[in-house]
Amino acid sequence: MKVLNTNKELVIMKTASLTKEVIYKEGKPNIQALLETPFSKEIRIVFKAGQIMKEHTAPGAIVVEMFEGEIDFGVEGEVHRVTKGDLLTLDAKVPHDLKAIKDSIVRLTLAKTDNINRVFSVVKD
């Protein structure tokens, strides 16, 4: 959608939904790129209870929004219970892992310079 802002400059608006077309995959979390902005990449990760993302790091800082469900979020060996509505940020290169306690929807914000293929590689068999 193209709209004009108050300075009469052309601005392009992008939209996505955390709740539409949600698919819970068997075996591993479902990762989907939602949008890319001039400064970030927004990703939805859908977990069935019991699914994990093995320990990994991100090259830049990340923001995680727990949209639905409950996850054990491990940071350098310490487990933090993250529940619906929680937000967290993690500095670059900090080892972390995730385990879904309940069916969950997570919104992940990556730095623009990060690569979504890195996220996919964390859940490869």
Side-chain angles (χ1 to χ4, degrees), residues 5 7 19-20 24 36 57 77-78 107 122-123:
N5 69 12
N7 297 325
T19 59
K20 291 181 182 170
Y24 291 88
E36 191 166 331
T57 62
E78 186 176 335
R107 177 178 151 218
V122 176
V123 298

Side-chain angles (χ1 to χ4, degrees), residues 55-71:
E55 185 175 73
H56 59 284
T57 62
I62 61 170
V63 176
V64 175
E65 174 191 356
M66 194 67 217
F67 183 76
E68 188 69 52
E70 191 170 319
I71 297 237

Side-chain angles (χ1 to χ4, degrees), residues 47-51 66-73 80-86 98-106:
F47 292 86
K48 286 184 85 163
Q51 290 179 335
M66 194 67 217
F67 183 76
E68 188 69 52
E70 191 170 319
I71 297 237
D72 278 347
F73 196 96
H80 305 269
R81 182 66 50 100
V82 183
T83 60
K84 181 179 180 175
D86 289 347
L98 295 83
K99 180 179 181 183
I101 304 306
K102 298 179 180 177
D103 289 355
S104 301
I105 300 172
V106 173

Side-chain angles (χ1 to χ4, degrees), residues 30-36 40-45 53 56 59 108-124:
N30 185 12
I31 299 169
Q32 180 183 11
L34 295 176
L35 349 137
E36 191 166 331
S40 71
K41 295 176 183 175
E42 304 297 330
I43 297 167
R44 176 177 61 198
I45 307 173
M53 289 184 77
H56 59 284
L108 171 63
T109 302
L110 301 177
K112 180 73 170 181
T113 55
D114 203 344
N115 187 329
I116 189 169
N117 291 329
R118 179 191 60 76
V119 181
F120 285 115
S121 72
V122 176
V123 298
K124 278 189 176 178

Side-chain angles (χ1 to χ4, degrees), residues 4-30:
L4 294 177
N5 69 12
T6 55
N7 297 325
K8 306 228 188 269
E9 299 168 323
L10 186 62
V11 176
I12 297 175
M13 181 176 82
K14 298 178 182 179
T15 63
S17 173
L18 288 170
T19 59
K20 291 181 182 170
E21 301 176 17
V22 172
I23 298 170
Y24 291 88
K25 286 186 174 180
E26 294 296 326
K28 62 183 178 180
N30 185 12

